[in-house]
Amino acid sequence: MGTSAMERLFRFLFKYPPLMFQQGDFTWGLSRPVLLGVAVAIAVAGAALLTYRGLATVERPRDRIVLVGLRLATLALLFFCLVRPTLILKAAVPQQNFVGVLIDDSRSMSIADRDGQPRSAFVHQQLGVPRAPLLDALSKRFVVRFFRFSSSSDRVPSAADLKYGGTATRLGQALDRARDELAGLPLAGLVMVTDGADTSDAAIDESLARLKARSIPVFTVGVGQERFARDIQVTRVETPRAVLKGTALVVDVVVSQTGYSGETVPIRVEDDGRIVSTQEVKLPADGESATVKVRFTASDAGARLFTFRVAGQQGEQVTQNNARDALIEVQDHKEKILYFEGEPRPEMKFLNRAIADDKNLNLIVLQRTAENKYYRINPSNPEELIGGFPKTREELFAYRGIILGTIEAASFSPEQLRMIADFVSKRGGGLLALGGRRSFAEGGWPGTPVGEVLPVVPDAANAKYLSWLDVRPTRAGALFPVVQIADSETASTAKWSDMPPVTAVNSVHQVKPGATVLLTGIDSKRQEQVVLAYQRYGRGKAIAMPIQDSWHWKMDAKIPVTDTTHAMFWRRMIRWLVDGVPNQVNLTTTTDRVEPGEPIKLSAEVLDGSYTEVNDSRAVAHVTAPSGKTSDVPVDWTVTRDGDYRATIVPDEPGVYDIKVTATRAASSGGRAGTDGRDQKEKDLGTAAMHVRVSAGDAEYFDAAMRAPLLQRIAEETGGRFFTTADASALPEAVSYTGRGVTVVEERELWDMPVLLARGAWRESRQKRLRLHVSVVSHQSAVVGHKSAVVGRAIDDCRLETAD
């Protein structure tokens, strides 16, 4: 039975609707005659009890109890009516009070999810035309003021002026605007007509608290279905904000659905409208979500808008939520990686050859050939690394990643070991440690600052250790992009099974808490050893790969000459090593897309060459609008946090904005201004760039079902009531009895409620049936007694005749 049917039944039985009992105060209409009647009723009740004492010999105990109970209940009912139960209500005086009607003007109101009609049809039919039923009922009682709300809130003359084109819904802001607009007026309450799809980040708690403090009830009317019958939604897409050009991405796409369980649909990846990847996905059970690994390559540089789309299906109610956009900064520059190798060996030669064709990686090799003698490969300038491994933080921190080959810890000074550890934890760089005769425990690394950074716990040093390993991905590794060497997870796992074995001279079987193992090796004794593991450490990452000859994956006899698995693996490995490594100037925003006119909040981190926070730099944001118009905005230090600079930009054009933040610092000591009045030279600390898209959002179409729990909470916390379109006709009466504004006291008597009369008639009928039952039982008992006496006299006569 529906809510409206239940309310009609309640009103039939109890004379008034439930809301009157909720809003009113219960009292008794006592008077002297009534008190005398109460005394008489008590006397009659006592007499009623005494009348049943004489029936104890003829009644069954159960019947006696029922009769007593029914008579007492009848007397209680009579007593209830005699004391004149009354509801005291405060009713709004007609046309003396205001009511604010807030109507959702966002895009989600155009969703046609009920009998092919859009949600806005309810507003049009009930509030938007002359003589509309709900508007007419409200207007007879109140002075009605209309408000529209979406991303902003405004007064409107009538509901007919709504366009339903808003790109966001902010319920709290709408309630605050209506409350302030109607302050000082006799306000009976607020009526909010919406689907409840609040897309704002701000919590609604403060708005409700302010309404509650001023005793302003909110009556919510929910439009739309609480659950779609047939719909597919791309719920979430997790992409990096920036990647190197040519990076092979594996992106998590979360898809949810109802009504299409078990069906297979394609997910397309589009780069500015051009399809770059397609992948099939089997839809999960109704109401559940599935995470799909989607693969594609970011091949074009610049700010690229990628769209992840599922084609609309037959009978789907909402197709606008079938796609998600992601703005990815595809960077086209070279990343500098320092590879320090302790001796000539094939691993370095084949690793360098594997990434030689990658135009975005610059692998600079420092190979020790003898004591204090080094061979340099690919140096950026003639002076780079000429004195061996860097001896200052500024020199070391100029690299984005470090690879340590087979090199012992004793070849570094204590300060250099601490610098390498800080390179990961403070600078945020990537560190990769490879296996070899002088690596891990065999190289004396445990117990050093670098040993603390590494994700593995090496076994004790063993110069004779040698193990052949068949490499297999772990469960975590099977899903990891670097380890996937084929087009799918299944194909990748199968290919790893066919890869040639490799050797390890470092025994590593344990990892540290928080570390993740991606590859393991199975030796001849069927024991597993760590082949590839990593962990986050401070701002950076540390990777351990304790094998010495991955070049077997290229040169083994079973590997075809054209096979590129080894090169693909190392390119992905080195790109992952430097992925997400920060610069001296780092720029972020809370979102990569804003509405036109919505502020872009910039946050810049400024560091010096040793990656220490700088508070005295001059930072400026150079902003280029889609039309080419440029402007400069100062980015100021926040004072509350070292190295943290903030600025706000308000875009006035749709399109993609190019934002570059440049930071400089005075070249004099400590960056302080000179005391001689002369201009100080400025040192460039760096530049950070990013793009922000300014466009109308589509958040209104995601999770767009009517959110009844939120609307119920708004009503309950403010003293209002939640309605649906089916029972909204009771809204005007509910607002009339809130007790707010200009009111008059009404008394509603309850003694003549139909439910009382019906129960009284039932009790009287029940009592008559029980009296009849008692009379029959008494008569039957008398007959049985008479028959027993006759039989007794006959037996006595027989005994006398026998004696004679």
Side-chain angles (χ1 to χ4, degrees):
M1 186 179 293
T3 304
S4 59
M6 289 292 294
E7 290 196 2
R8 287 195 297 270
L9 178 61
F10 186 94
R11 188 163 190 163
F12 172 76
L13 294 176
F14 294 94
K15 190 178 177 181
Y16 304 112
L19 66 94
M20 287 192 176
F21 288 89
Q22 296 170 2
Q23 300 287 354
D25 294 324
F26 190 81
T27 186
W28 307 94
L30 294 173
S31 61
R32 287 186 178 181
V34 172
L35 290 174
L36 181 60
V38 171
V40 172
I42 294 174
V44 173
L49 289 175
L50 292 175
T51 58
Y52 286 98
R53 295 183 60 185
L55 299 176
T57 58
V58 295
E59 284 186 20
R60 287 182 300 178
R62 186 191 66 178
D63 293 335
R64 185 171 65 255
I65 294 172
V66 171
L67 279 171
V68 171
L70 288 174
R71 286 201 171 186
L72 287 177
T74 302
L75 291 172
L77 183 60
L78 179 60
F79 170 76
F80 181 81
C81 295
L82 288 174
V83 297
R84 288 182 57 206
T86 306
L87 272 180
I88 304 298
L89 296 165
K90 290 183 179 180
V93 178
Q95 298 303 316
Q96 297 298 311
N97 297 281
F98 287 77
V99 65
V101 179
L102 294 73
I103 303 176
D104 193 339
D105 193 31
S106 65
R107 289 179 174 182
S108 62
M109 292 292 285
S110 63
I111 295 175
D113 60 347
R114 187 176 293 277
D115 300 328
Q117 294 289 319
R119 297 171 177 178
S120 59
F122 171 80
V123 178
H124 176 74
Q125 295 165 6
Q126 295 291 329
L127 296 167
V129 295
R131 311 300 298 173
L134 187 56
L135 175 60
D136 191 47
L138 286 170
S139 300
K140 288 179 180 178
R141 293 175 168 87
F142 310 101
V143 179
V144 180
R145 292 289 183 265
F146 283 101
F147 296 83
R148 58 154 295 277
F149 68 90
S150 54
S151 55
S152 61
S153 304
D154 300 292
R155 273 279 305 276
V156 291
S158 70
D161 298 325
L162 304 182
K163 304 299 182 183
Y164 306 106
T167 56
T169 300
R170 296 183 172 92
L171 300 182
Q173 181 189 83
L175 292 170
D176 291 339
R177 172 62 191 276
R179 185 198 69 240
D180 295 340
E181 183 83 13
L182 299 174
L185 298 175
L187 184 62
L190 298 177
V191 176
M192 175 173 275
V193 183
T194 177
D195 53 26
D198 193 345
T199 58
S200 66
D201 295 329
I204 201 172
D205 298 19
E206 293 185 5
S207 299
L208 296 182
R210 287 190 285 266
L211 289 167
K212 189 174 181 180
R214 294 177 57 177
S215 300
I216 300 177
V218 179
F219 297 83
T220 53
V221 181
V223 294
Q225 293 182 341
E226 290 190 60
R227 177 185 173 92
F228 293 130
R230 294 176 68 81
D231 181 52
I232 298 175
Q233 175 174 288
V234 179
T235 303
R236 187 174 69 254
V237 176
E238 297 179 359
T239 62
R241 293 291 294 270
V243 297
L244 273 179
K245 179 183 176 182
T247 298
L249 296 172
V250 180
V251 172
D252 287 340
V253 179
V254 180
V255 180
S256 58
Q257 68 82 35
T258 54
Y260 299 95
S261 177
E263 296 188 19
T264 300
V265 297
I267 297 180
R268 296 199 309 266
V269 183
E270 303 172 5
D271 181 0
D272 286 338
R274 176 172 54 91
I275 298 176
V276 295
S277 176
T278 302
Q279 187 164 326
E280 299 288 328
V281 56
K282 185 176 181 181
L283 296 176
D286 287 354
E288 296 184 2
S289 299
T291 301
V292 185
K293 300 286 184 180
V294 177
R295 297 165 177 80
F296 65 99
T297 301
S299 55
D300 296 327
R304 311 302 301 179
L305 184 63
F306 290 92
T307 302
F308 302 82
R309 188 187 308 277
V310 175
Q313 302 299 304
Q314 181 70 30
E316 191 171 0
Q317 292 175 281
V318 184
T319 58
Q320 294 91 335
N321 60 5
N322 287 30
R324 286 276 190 182
D325 294 332
L327 187 66
I328 301 179
E329 193 78 29
V330 182
Q331 301 170 344
D332 189 10
H333 63 260
K334 283 200 170 185
E335 301 277 19
K336 289 179 62 175
I337 304 101
L338 172 60
Y339 182 1
F340 190 18
E341 185 61 78
E343 62 185 21
R345 62 173 184 162
E347 186 73 349
M348 183 276 293
K349 180 179 69 173
F350 282 96
L351 193 161
N352 185 40
R353 186 182 297 176
I355 65 171
D357 294 335
D358 194 323
K359 297 180 181 180
N360 295 106
L361 296 178
N362 182 19
L363 185 67
I364 302 169
V365 180
L366 180 67
Q367 181 175 290
R368 186 176 61 186
T369 57
E371 186 73 23
N372 293 325
K373 291 186 178 181
Y374 305 96
Y375 175 60
R376 297 176 300 154
I377 303 175
N378 303 324
S380 301
N381 57 72
E383 303 299 322
E384 185 173 17
L385 301 176
I386 196 168
F389 193 82
K391 296 178 176 59
T392 66
R393 291 173 181 266
E394 286 77 5
E395 185 182 1
L396 181 63
F397 288 6
Y399 297 94
R400 310 273 288 178
I402 298 174
I403 302 176
L404 297 177
T406 177
I407 183 78
E408 67 279 359
S411 63
F412 299 89
S413 69
E415 177 58 24
Q416 286 177 318
L417 292 174
R418 174 49 57 191
M419 282 167 45
I420 297 174
D422 289 346
F423 176 85
V424 180
S425 63
K426 188 174 181 179
R427 189 255 185 271
L431 173 65
L432 170 61
L434 301 178
R437 293 187 304 118
R438 297 183 178 91
S439 303
F440 298 100
E442 286 68 23
W445 289 97
T448 67
V450 177
E452 295 178 4
V453 172
L454 294 178
V456 296
V457 181
D459 299 341
N462 182 359
K464 297 182 180 180
Y465 181 82
L466 176 64
S467 180
W468 284 88
L469 303 172
D470 292 321
V471 179
R472 300 289 184 270
T474 63
R475 188 171 183 178
L479 303 174
F480 207 79
V482 173
V483 177
Q484 292 188 8
I485 55 177
D487 294 336
S488 66
E489 298 168 17
T490 303
S492 177
T493 302
K495 191 162 187 177
W496 275 113
S497 299
D498 293 335
M499 295 293 283
V502 293
T503 62
V505 294
N506 312 106
S507 180
V508 180
H509 293 86
Q510 298 181 43
V511 295
K512 294 177 180 177
T516 302
V517 179
L518 302 177
L519 292 174
T520 59
I522 303 174
D523 61 18
S524 58
K525 298 179 181 179
R526 307 304 298 172
Q527 294 181 343
E528 288 189 351
Q529 172 166 322
V530 176
V531 171
L532 181 62
Y534 82 98
Q535 71 174 3
R536 300 295 306 183
Y537 190 87
R539 298 187 67 179
K541 70 172 76 72
I543 308 170
M545 191 173 176
I547 58 174
Q548 64 173 350
D549 47 15
S550 68
W551 56 270
H552 284 179
W553 297 336
K554 175 65 177 176
M555 298 303 295
D556 191 271
K558 66 185 292 186
I559 300 296
V561 176
T562 57
D563 189 276
T564 60
T565 302
H566 178 263
M568 178 177 64
F569 174 81
W570 276 110
R571 287 181 185 179
R572 292 182 177 179
M573 173 71 80
I574 303 304
R575 282 172 173 263
W576 174 45
L577 179 69
V578 297
D579 179 55
V581 175
N583 298 305
Q584 285 185 234
V585 179
N586 303 288
L587 180 62
T588 59
T589 61
T590 54
T591 178
D592 64 356
R593 190 205 61 78
V594 296
E595 299 281 340
E598 182 182 355
I600 302 172
K601 297 180 180 180
L602 301 179
S603 177
E605 180 188 40
V606 181
L607 310 168
D608 63 12
S610 62
Y611 280 74
T612 300
E613 293 84 357
V614 174
N615 297 333
D616 56 356
S617 74
R618 189 175 71 90
V620 179
H622 308 284
V623 183
T624 304
S627 63
K629 182 177 66 175
T630 61
S631 61
D632 289 343
V633 178
V635 187
D636 300 322
W637 179 42
T638 61
V639 180
T640 58
R641 180 182 171 189
D642 290 340
D644 186 25
Y645 293 72
R646 300 289 176 92
T648 300
I649 300 170
V650 180
D652 54 4
E653 301 177 17
V656 177
Y657 278 71
D658 183 5
I659 304 173
K660 293 181 180 179
V661 173
T662 301
T664 58
R665 190 183 194 189
S668 58
S669 60
R672 298 180 178 85
T675 58
D676 54 3
R678 292 180 300 174
D679 293 338
Q680 301 297 312
K681 265 189 168 184
E682 289 192 337
K683 179 181 180 181
D684 186 15
L685 295 177
T687 299
M690 72 178 309
H691 293 83
V692 176
R693 184 163 55 110
V694 179
S695 65
D698 54 4
E700 284 292 310
Y701 299 114
F702 291 87
D703 297 322
M706 192 257 288
R707 301 180 189 176
L710 175 59
L711 299 180
Q712 288 171 345
R713 178 194 167 200
I714 294 173
E716 291 172 359
E717 291 193 14
T718 59
R721 184 182 168 196
F722 169 67
F723 294 89
T724 64
T725 56
D727 58 5
S729 59
L731 171 66
E733 189 174 39
V735 181
S736 297
Y737 291 101
T738 60
R740 292 281 303 158
V742 180
T743 61
V744 61
V745 176
E746 291 184 358
E747 294 185 2
R748 301 293 182 96
E749 293 190 348
L750 304 177
W751 67 269
D752 57 347
M753 291 188 297
V755 68
L756 297 179
L757 301 177
R759 292 183 66 183
W762 178 83
R763 288 193 183 101
E764 184 63 27
S765 174
R766 178 64 174 165
Q767 287 180 3
K768 288 180 179 180
R769 288 196 299 269
L770 282 173
R771 290 193 195 101
L772 178 61
H773 174 71
V774 170
S775 299
V776 171
V777 170
S778 300
H779 175 69
Q780 289 176 346
S781 299
V783 171
V784 170
H786 175 70
K787 290 182 178 180
S788 299
V790 172
V791 172
R793 285 195 299 271
I795 293 172
D796 290 339
D797 291 342
C798 290
R799 287 174 179 169
L800 290 173
E801 291 177 0
T802 303
D804 292 341

